[in-house]
Amino acid sequence: MSAPEPGEVILGKYRVERVLGEGGMGIVVLATHVDLEQKVALKFLLPAALARAEVVERFVREAKAAARIGGQHAVKIIDVGRTADGAPFMVMEYLEGEDLAALLERDGPPPPGITVDLVLQACVALAEAHAAGIVHRDIKPANLFLAKQRDGQRSIKVLDFGISKLADGEALTKTNAAMGTAHYMSPEQLLSSKDVDAQADIWSLGVVLYELLSGRVPFDAETMPEIVALILQAN
């Protein structure tokens, strides 16, 4: 399928308004439920990703993983479906706000008290995920969204369970494959993403905490191999 266009109505009930974000594999659009007049976010895979069966399976699994958590600090999955040409999509709650990567880039490190509160909220989401047998495997500032609530308060929402690991599901990652974002990956995840457990997410969140407090990641270098070497040496 091609990327959804503004004004297009998906399955007769979701009217596309505008693009919210686009990555290498997928696109997220703002849409309105035509009957309920409710704003939602629709996530689609881009055509190149649809041609890869493993990516499609991960996409479907992301919806299942997020739905299994269902806590306050994980983005809520409202519905799933397929377009007329069979492409899968998911319907998520629409969030107003920004992710922590954007906040860091614009304002720099927040005050320590706020940082602690944000990280504790992320800890709640990860505890719920781990209790449900889910390891996220890609915790980083860009996947921690600071959402504005109806009462004006702001709350962390953990996004993107697309490369999560389900304890009771069939593995989609080869033993020697490293999946995630290198700066935030634990040594064991760099060596084998398939075999990691909840401790990998805890490591990644520790890196996020370090970055929120200092404005930089603890392991950085000019090239990816150098970054990997620094992390492995820290083990």
Side-chain angles (χ1 to χ4, degrees), residues 4-221:
E5 297 290 338
E8 182 179 351
V9 179
I10 307 296
L11 296 188
K13 57 182 177 179
Y14 298 113
R15 184 178 64 248
V16 176
E17 306 293 346
R18 59 183 172 87
V19 173
L20 293 174
E22 183 173 346
M25 294 291 183
I27 183 171
V28 179
V29 302
L30 172 64
T32 301
H33 192 294
V34 295
D35 294 324
L36 300 178
E37 298 183 354
Q38 175 189 25
K39 288 183 178 181
V40 294
L42 304 185
K43 185 173 183 178
F44 301 87
L45 288 174
L46 293 173
L50 284 170
R52 298 171 57 185
E54 183 178 347
V55 174
V56 174
E57 178 62 22
R58 284 204 182 97
F59 183 82
V60 173
R61 201 161 85 156
E62 176 183 356
K64 292 180 180 179
R68 280 174 57 169
I69 300 170
Q72 175 186 352
H73 297 295
V75 63
K76 290 181 174 59
I77 303 299
I78 300 170
D79 195 7
V80 294
R82 290 184 177 269
T83 61
D85 54 5
F89 70 93
M90 69 179 79
V91 185
M92 307 177 292
E93 63 176 321
Y94 170 61
L95 302 175
E96 294 184 357
E98 62 183 345
D99 61 50
L100 296 189
L103 184 147
L104 275 169
E105 183 176 358
R106 188 187 68 244
D107 298 336
I114 292 178
T115 290
V116 170
D117 180 57
L118 297 177
V119 172
L120 285 176
Q121 290 183 49
C123 284
V124 172
L126 289 180
E128 292 170 342
H130 296 160
I134 299 166
V135 182
H136 189 284
R137 299 198 298 183
D138 197 19
I139 294 297
K140 58 186 178 182
N143 283 337
L144 299 176
F145 194 90
L146 191 54
K148 183 178 180 181
Q149 306 299 308
R150 291 183 179 180
D151 61 4
Q153 299 296 314
R154 297 198 295 176
S155 176
I156 283 291
K157 296 275 190 176
V158 177
L159 309 179
D160 199 356
F161 283 83
I163 65 168
S164 63
K165 174 187 174 184
L166 303 182
D168 58 355
E170 181 180 355
L172 292 177
T173 307
K174 296 180 180 178
T175 302
N176 62 348
M179 301 199 63
T181 304
H183 285 100
Y184 304 93
M185 291 169 67
S186 66
E188 65 269 25
Q189 188 173 356
L190 286 169
L191 295 173
S192 174
S193 289
K194 178 182 177 182
D195 297 323
V196 300
D197 57 19
Q199 295 179 79
D201 286 345
I202 295 171
W203 171 288
S204 299
L205 189 57
V207 175
V208 172
L209 173 59
Y210 185 103
E211 185 176 9
L212 288 173
L213 289 171
S214 68
R216 60 185 180 86
V217 291
F219 307 104
D220 198 14

